[in-house]
């Protein structure tokens, strides 16, 4: 039974979930509808946005070249008034009259000839961003569309011809049957071209509004026309690379202020990568980019009355600097013979260079910091090897979406009183807990009621002795009825949304992220519980009926010797010793839990070997079949005694029926042979016993980070960051300088007990907001239910 079937069971129940808000929201927990194939459109949009001039953001519709770029980015050079012409000259003079750090405003790269050259740049093999963004949109268009609510207005900044955008619009029409699109562009000619292109490229019901205006003016105009609709702002072409982090934050804040609320932002970004790749992209072997940059200087000098000769231009030297510290590519022209324009008070000394363009390449960490600071919250993310995209929500949309996902999970649970994991509360507790926690943290001055207290905190007792547990509210003899909990949630959700509408939490992104991440972590806990409930239901059903023949599959797991051979040092990955930094700093990475900072600089003690992939279900099946759970020498004494007492002889997500193992996931149950190569999910105790069986060990948290540093793309050591959390052998504790977070001081400190161990990476149900290298999950070594994998280390 998949999640959709489980959801229908819940929807047929008499009790109904409280409404989240008056819109049809999508959810991360529903299977995605497959859309029709997208048209193979050609070309790209004209990324017309804001320009930077003299360190400030100005809304004139012209922007620097971004990572994804556009085919044509033209500067309006005709019909300018005398005042505008003088302003153009002054902008050039201010950059060239400096004593040092001379520069030319980037807008002058895009005259007619510059636009033609840039169109050629986007076709170059070396210039990866254009194709990388197109590939990303083609591959993920349907999934991206699934996160855009039906009835939303898709608003593209600097839409240009909107050709690349058509891929996304086709996916939305395929999913929802119709789409409303509003394109903003400073150029009315491009607006007309976009209308024609969309009519030809988008199949289905598409309503189009095209606005000839700068970005912010256009957003305000669209919001005024549609005051109550959800708006998804689309910013393609990686144009954010035009800005420093501070400038980008200001841009995002301006966009959010223009839309006001119910705002989503789909943002594309070029990511920091190998310096050789970046240098080749911006200094191509054909010299097209060099010609583009030189043409920009010729254009700028022409604006102030200096005519450039062919010999002048030929003498200029084009230089590209890749700046790892600032994560940016800088493009300069050097003047070996200098340049003096006396009547303009310009003196470029012999050998001096002039900055022509900067293209910044962000990291996922810096993108998150920028957007969170501006008031956006991550919903989902996509990336390929060079390029990334994020879908971000304002606080209203983020909170509402989170509640929608909560309700989808609970709709799939027919009986909320069930308690599938013995060291956890029943399902119904968590529905009350999520809203109680939110209410208490958002309104700390208000009196705490009975339900507030009852649902304020869950339990994580000592697995070996459940009578030992951290502080928590007393467990009631009788939990409240489901409808009473639903009513409690409904009343407090309304209270929260009213406060959000009034702007009470504006500028407090840390507090909102704190609430959201808490809920998202519990969504994951609920997924573990649902998997165990699926297991219990499966075992009850097969006890009452014979297994269908199609489920049986007489397949043998790999032999012990084949497993040993696969772990020979020649087939493992060697990782040299070296320095690592654990954790991050909030000022650089956005919201972090207190155990993620301050960053700790440390190092691995020696070189080590690590298996290139996690231990599979088939490999662990052999361990089970060889009697691994009965071999006391493989286990820590207290672990062996505990597993023996409980009768555990295989992983918690497995069922043994008629001599065959079945594996239960969050949304599926399979015979083990069908998922034989998937990572096995076990406790740290089980993982360590398996490793000892093969003469290996589990790596430490420091070694985990060292592997990421040595092999960031995961080409050698696979599935480090996804497919299941990675167990480490490191006890959970704070980094030196740790201080409990004032919002929730017990979050980490209650579990610095020597019994909890660090897990890294993410599971198949981890929300994207929690997928960061610094995130540290933690569980007791005997806890068997987390979706956690492991790999062998020597």
């Amino acid at each position: 039974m998949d999640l959709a079937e489980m959801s229908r069971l819940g929807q047929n129940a008499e009790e109904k979930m409280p409404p989240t808000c008056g819109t049809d929201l999508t959810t991360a927990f529903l299977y995605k509808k497959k859309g029709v194939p997208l048209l193979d459109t050609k070309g790209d949009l004209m990324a017309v946005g804001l320009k930077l001039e003299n360190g400030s953001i100005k809304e004139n519709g012209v922007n620097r070249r971004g990572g994804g770029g556009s085919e044509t980015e033209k500067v309006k050079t005709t019909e300018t008034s005398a005042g505008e012409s003088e302003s153009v000259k002054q902008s050039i003079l201010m950059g060239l009259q400096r004593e040092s750090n001379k520069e030319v405003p980037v807008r002058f790269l895009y005259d007619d000839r510059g636009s033609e050259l840039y169109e050629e740049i986007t076709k170059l093999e070396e210039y990866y961003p254009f194709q990388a963004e197109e590939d990303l949109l083609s591959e993920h268009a349907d999934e991206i569309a699934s996160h855009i609510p039906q009835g939303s207005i898709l608003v593209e900044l600097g839409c240009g011809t909107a050709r690349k955008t058509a891929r996304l619009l086709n996916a939305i029409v395929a999913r929802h049957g119709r789409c409303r699109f509003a394109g903003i562009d400073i150029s009315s000619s491009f607006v007309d071209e976009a209308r024609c292109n969309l009519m030809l490229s988008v199949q289905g019901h598409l309503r189009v509004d095209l606005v000839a205006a700068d970005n912010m003016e256009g957003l305000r105009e669209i919001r005024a026309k549609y005051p109550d609709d959800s708006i998804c702002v689309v910013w393609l072409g990686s144009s954010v690379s035009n800005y420093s982090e501070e400038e980008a934050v200001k841009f995002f804040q301006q966009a959010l202020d223009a839309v006001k609320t119910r705002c989503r932002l789909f943002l594309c970004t070029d990511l920091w990568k190998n310096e050789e790749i970046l240098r080749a992209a911006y200094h191509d072997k054909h010299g097209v980019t060099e010609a583009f940059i030189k043409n920009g200087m010729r254009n700028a000098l022409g604006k102030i009355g200096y005519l450039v000769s062919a010999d002048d231009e030929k003498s200029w030297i084009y230089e590209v600097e890749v700046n790892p510290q600032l994560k940016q590519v800088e493009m300069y022209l050097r003047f070996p013979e200098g340049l003096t324009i006396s009547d303009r008070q310009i003196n470029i000394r012999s050998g001096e260079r002039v900055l022509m363009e900067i293209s910044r390449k962000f990291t996922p960490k810096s993108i998150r910091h920028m957007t969170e600071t501006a008031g956006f919250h991550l919903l989902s993310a996509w990336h390929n090897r060079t390029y990334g995209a994020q879908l971000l929500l304002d606080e209203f949309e983020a909170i509402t979406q989170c509640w929608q996902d909560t309700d989808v999970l609970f709709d799939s649970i027919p009986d909320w009183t069930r308690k599938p994991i013995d060291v956890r509360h029943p399902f119904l507790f968590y529905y009350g807990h999520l809203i109680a926690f939110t209410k208490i943290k958002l309104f700390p001055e208000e009196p705490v009621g009975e339900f507030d207290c009852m649902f304020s905190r869950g339990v994580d007792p000592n697995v070996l002795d459940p009578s030992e547990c951290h502080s928590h509210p007393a467990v009631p003899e009788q939990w409240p009825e489901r409808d009473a909990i639903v009513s409690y949630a409904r009343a407090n959700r309304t209270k929260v949304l009213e406060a959000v509408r009034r702007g009470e939490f504006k500028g407090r992104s840390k507090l909102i992220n704190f609430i959201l991440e808490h809920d998202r972590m519990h969504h994951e806990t609920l997924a573990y519980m649902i998997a165990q409930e699926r297991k219990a239901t499966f075992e009850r059903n097969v006890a009452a009926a014979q297994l269908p023949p199609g489920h049986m599959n007489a397949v043998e797991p790999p032999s012990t010797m084949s497993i040993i051979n696969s772990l020979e040092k020649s087939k493992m990955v060697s990782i040299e010793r070296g320095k690592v930094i654990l954790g991050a700093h909030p000022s650089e990475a956005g919201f972090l839990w207190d155990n993620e900072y301050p960053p700790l600089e440390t190092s691995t003690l020696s070189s080590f070997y690590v298996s290139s992939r996690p231990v599979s279900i088939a490999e662990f099946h052999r361990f089970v079949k060889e009697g691994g759970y009965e071999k006391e020498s493989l286990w820590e004494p207290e672990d062996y005694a505990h597993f023996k007492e409980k009768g555990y002889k295989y992983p918690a997500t497995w069922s043994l029926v008629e001599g065959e193992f079945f594996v239960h996931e969050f949304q599926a149950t399979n015979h083990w042979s069908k998922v034989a190569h998937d990572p096995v999910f076990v406790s740290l105790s089980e993982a360590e016993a398996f490793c000892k069986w093969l003469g290996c060990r589990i790596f430490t948290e420091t070694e985990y980070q060292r592997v990421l540093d040595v092999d960031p793309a995961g080409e050698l050591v696979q599935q480090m960051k996804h497919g299941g959390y990675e167990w480490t052998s490191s006890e959970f504790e704070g980094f030196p300088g740790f201080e409990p977070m004032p919002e929730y001081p017990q979050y980490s400190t209650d579990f610095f007990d020597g019994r909890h161990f660090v897990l890294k990476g993410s599971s198949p149900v981890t929300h994207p907001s929690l997928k960061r290298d610094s995130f540290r999950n933690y569980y007791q070594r005997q806890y068997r239910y987390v979706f956690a994998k492991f790999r062998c280390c020597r």
Side-chain angles (χ1 to χ4, degrees):
M1 182 170 64
D2 63 19
L3 179 58
E5 293 171 322
M6 297 170 72
S7 181
R8 284 193 290 274
L9 286 175
Q11 290 168 355
N12 291 333
E14 291 183 3
E15 298 86 352
K16 299 296 182 182
M17 297 298 99
T20 53
C21 75
T23 186
D24 179 16
L25 287 178
T26 57
T27 173
F29 290 98
L30 288 178
Y31 283 119
K32 310 297 186 295
K33 173 183 174 184
K34 185 173 179 58
V36 297
L38 299 178
L39 292 178
D40 185 20
T41 57
K42 296 181 180 179
D44 190 22
L45 73 161
M46 173 181 173
V48 179
L50 303 177
K51 81 179 180 77
L52 292 178
E53 197 169 288
N54 303 324
S56 63
I57 295 177
K58 296 187 178 180
E59 300 175 5
N60 68 351
V62 181
N63 73 328
R64 293 180 180 178
R65 171 171 58 165
S70 61
E71 292 180 4
T72 53
E73 291 182 291
K74 297 182 179 179
V75 176
K76 190 174 182 181
T77 57
T78 60
E79 300 179 5
T80 56
S81 67
E84 289 174 324
S85 178
E86 187 59 32
S87 175
V88 166
K89 293 178 182 178
Q90 288 303 315
S91 68
I92 300 168
L93 294 173
M94 288 179 66
L96 292 178
Q97 288 174 346
R98 297 175 185 168
E99 183 61 28
S100 60
N101 300 321
K102 294 180 173 64
E103 66 175 317
V104 167
V106 72
R107 63 178 295 185
F108 299 104
L109 294 173
Y110 298 101
D111 63 349
D112 288 344
R113 174 58 179 155
S115 297
E116 292 171 0
L117 286 167
Y118 188 62
E119 183 176 355
E120 294 304 311
I121 289 172
T122 64
K123 300 174 184 177
L124 294 172
E125 181 181 356
E126 302 98 320
Y127 192 66
Y128 65 86
F130 184 87
Q131 188 61 49
E133 184 177 53
E134 231 180 23
D135 291 345
L136 186 147
L137 284 174
S138 297
E139 181 178 357
H140 300 289
D142 188 55
E143 186 180 357
I144 295 166
S146 74
H147 291 293
I148 298 174
Q150 186 171 5
S152 296
I153 302 170
L154 204 72
V155 181
E156 184 178 0
L157 304 181
C159 67
T161 60
R163 286 182 175 174
K164 192 185 298 183
T165 321
R167 295 179 180 272
L168 184 55
L169 297 179
N170 271 307
I172 293 173
V173 171
R175 171 168 290 275
H176 298 310
R178 61 183 58 224
C179 179
R180 292 187 294 174
F181 173 76
I184 301 173
D185 200 294
I186 194 68
S187 170
S188 58
S189 63
F190 279 115
V191 164
D192 293 337
E193 187 175 349
R195 186 183 302 277
C196 294
N197 180 60
L198 291 172
M199 291 177 65
L200 294 171
S201 301
V202 179
Q203 305 299 303
H205 191 288
L206 178 68
R207 177 176 174 178
V208 177
D209 286 300
L210 295 173
V211 180
D214 64 45
N215 287 328
M216 298 308 155
E217 179 185 344
L219 284 174
R220 286 189 287 268
E221 184 175 327
I222 292 166
R223 173 49 84 197
K225 185 174 182 180
Y226 303 102
D228 301 318
D229 293 272
S230 176
I231 289 178
C232 181
V233 178
V234 176
W235 203 19
L236 301 178
S238 195
S239 298
V240 68
S241 65
N242 300 335
Y243 307 116
S244 67
E245 288 196 29
E246 182 180 350
E247 293 158 345
V249 168
K250 184 176 180 181
F251 175 86
F252 294 135
Q253 289 172 334
Q254 288 176 334
L256 193 53
D257 288 343
V259 179
K260 300 186 188 310
T261 189
R262 302 199 63 194
C263 175
R264 297 183 177 218
L265 170 65
F266 180 66
L267 174 68
C268 286
T269 49
D270 188 19
L271 304 177
W272 177 253
K273 55 188 65 65
N274 183 284
E275 294 182 27
E276 293 180 7
I277 296 175
L278 291 171
R279 191 175 299 279
Y282 291 88
H283 204 329
D284 64 274
K285 60 189 176 185
H286 303 286
V288 183
T289 309
E290 178 177 350
F292 171 73
I293 294 296
K294 287 184 175 180
N295 180 77
M297 177 61 79
R298 171 197 286 270
N299 181 38
L301 292 176
K303 297 294 183 185
I304 59 173
Y306 183 85
L307 299 181
V308 177
S309 69
D311 289 339
D312 284 339
E313 186 172 334
K314 187 176 181 180
S315 70
W316 301 338
I317 298 173
Y318 175 54
E319 296 179 348
V320 171
E321 278 195 12
V322 179
N323 191 326
Q325 184 176 2
L326 297 178
K327 298 287 190 296
Q328 63 189 32
V329 181
E330 301 161 1
M331 287 150 271
Y332 296 90
L333 283 180
R334 187 178 295 278
F335 291 72
E337 300 174 4
L339 178 65
T340 300
I341 308 176
S342 300
D343 61 334
R344 296 297 185 185
Q345 300 178 356
I346 294 174
N347 180 30
I348 302 175
R349 298 178 295 275
S350 176
E352 190 174 9
R353 64 184 187 177
V354 177
L355 177 66
M356 299 297 294
E357 182 177 6
I358 292 177
S359 182
R360 294 175 175 86
K361 310 298 176 184
F362 297 106
T363 64
K365 183 170 68 173
S366 61
I367 294 166
R368 174 169 178 166
H369 181 250
M370 291 187 303
T371 53
E372 281 188 8
T373 302
F376 283 100
H377 307 274
L378 180 66
L379 174 65
S380 195
W382 303 267
H383 69 276
N384 50 35
R385 305 189 83 176
T386 62
Y387 214 76
Q390 301 81 35
L391 185 61
L392 304 140
L393 313 180
D394 74 353
E395 61 187 27
F396 182 94
E397 293 278 278
I399 292 171
T400 305
Q401 179 70 66
C402 188
W403 290 344
Q404 175 74 8
D405 290 346
T406 297
D407 290 350
V408 167
L409 282 167
F410 277 90
D411 275 344
S412 71
I413 304 167
D415 184 357
W416 287 16
T417 66
R418 298 280 299 172
K419 182 182 175 182
I421 297 178
D422 58 352
V423 290
R424 294 289 183 256
H425 285 320
F427 284 115
L428 56 77
F429 165 82
Y430 296 95
Y431 198 80
H433 170 62
L434 296 183
I435 191 62
F437 187 91
T438 296
K439 178 192 174 185
I440 291 169
K441 299 304 180 182
L442 292 184
F443 307 106
E445 304 302 323
E446 292 193 0
V448 176
E450 179 187 4
F451 274 24
D452 299 338
C453 180
M454 180 187 301
F455 294 115
S456 62
R457 197 177 189 203
V459 293
D460 180 18
N462 184 346
V463 172
L464 300 180
D465 181 5
S467 66
E468 295 181 8
C469 191
H470 56 80
S471 62
H472 62 88
V475 179
E477 293 184 7
Q478 181 73 37
W479 289 102
E481 294 294 325
R482 173 172 167 170
D483 60 352
I485 301 173
V486 169
S487 296
Y488 167 74
R490 179 183 294 113
N492 284 293
R493 284 181 175 184
T494 300
K495 179 184 180 69
V496 171
L497 287 183
E498 288 175 351
V500 170
R501 287 191 181 98
R502 292 193 298 269
E504 290 187 17
F505 309 114
K506 187 176 178 62
R508 303 174 69 186
S509 61
K510 179 183 178 182
L511 178 63
I512 300 301
N513 272 301
F514 166 62
I515 296 300
L516 293 173
E517 290 204 7
H518 168 267
D519 280 21
R520 295 301 188 182
M521 283 190 279
H522 276 293
H523 289 168
E524 189 156 353
T525 301
L526 286 163
Y528 304 157
M529 295 175 66
I530 290 171
Q532 291 303 307
E533 184 65 13
R534 172 184 288 277
K535 172 182 176 177
T537 301
F538 175 82
E539 292 177 351
R540 286 196 302 270
N541 290 342
V542 298
Q546 199 172 26
L547 264 178
H551 279 290
M552 307 308 292
N553 194 337
V555 178
E556 275 290 305
S559 68
T560 305
M561 186 54 65
S562 69
I563 298 173
I564 292 173
N565 289 339
S566 72
L567 291 174
E568 290 179 354
K569 288 186 177 180
S570 60
K571 296 182 180 180
M572 296 179 79
V573 179
S574 176
I575 306 294
E576 294 296 319
R577 64 173 296 177
K579 292 182 178 180
V580 301
I581 296 178
L582 301 181
H585 197 284
S587 65
E588 300 173 350
F591 176 79
L592 301 174
W593 295 92
D594 55 13
N595 62 68
E596 297 179 65
Y597 62 90
L600 169 64
E601 184 173 325
T602 183
S603 62
T604 53
L605 298 177
S606 60
S607 300
F608 59 97
Y609 289 90
V610 64
S611 57
S612 62
R613 54 179 176 75
V615 172
S616 70
I617 287 171
E619 290 165 338
F620 202 85
H621 189 325
R622 173 55 62 184
F623 172 73
V624 173
K625 193 165 185 175
E626 292 293 322
Y629 280 75
E630 285 76 42
K631 294 179 180 178
E632 187 173 358
S633 61
L634 300 179
W635 298 75
E636 290 296 316
E638 64 177 10
D639 296 346
Y640 182 78
H642 174 69
F643 276 65
K644 192 78 170 176
E645 177 188 354
K646 294 290 186 179
Y648 299 149
K649 295 182 178 180
Y650 44 82
T653 54
W654 293 17
S655 291
L656 180 61
V657 178
E658 298 183 12
E660 291 290 329
F661 283 113
F662 293 82
V663 179
H664 308 282
E665 301 169 0
F666 168 50
Q667 293 178 323
T669 292
N670 290 291
H671 186 271
W672 75 268
S673 62
K674 293 185 178 180
V675 289
H677 301 295
D678 290 355
V680 66
F681 295 156
V682 294
S683 66
L684 178 58
S685 300
E686 292 162 300
E688 288 185 338
F690 180 94
C691 287
K692 195 170 183 179
W693 179 57
L694 296 178
C696 301
R697 62 178 177 84
I698 302 294
F699 56 17
T700 65
E701 181 180 9
T702 301
E703 288 171 333
Y704 172 91
Q705 186 60 50
R706 180 61 181 161
V707 174
L708 292 187
D709 293 347
V710 171
D711 183 28
E715 296 176 343
L716 301 176
V717 186
Q718 302 166 15
Q719 279 189 281
M720 285 281 286
K721 294 186 178 184
H722 59 87
Y725 281 103
E726 285 274 348
W727 278 111
T728 78
S729 60
S730 299
E731 288 186 10
F732 179 56
E733 58 185 357
F735 297 138
F738 167 86
E739 292 184 5
M741 60 194 307
E743 300 89 347
Y744 190 9
Q746 306 90 348
Y747 173 74
S748 297
T749 55
D750 276 358
F751 308 104
F752 293 160
D753 53 13
R755 296 197 300 265
H756 288 75
F757 290 78
V758 174
L759 299 94
K760 300 291 291 184
S762 65
S763 85
V765 293
T766 301
H767 191 264
S769 64
L770 299 168
K771 293 181 180 180
R772 53 181 182 267
D773 290 349
S774 61
F775 185 74
R776 307 170 81 205
N777 208 342
Y778 50 93
Y779 282 97
Q780 295 177 61
R781 58 178 293 111
Q782 301 89 4
Y783 190 78
R784 311 169 64 233
Y785 309 104
V786 63
F787 297 160
K789 63 185 186 296
F790 70 100
R791 66 189 70 227
C792 297
C793 184
R794 284 177 177 158

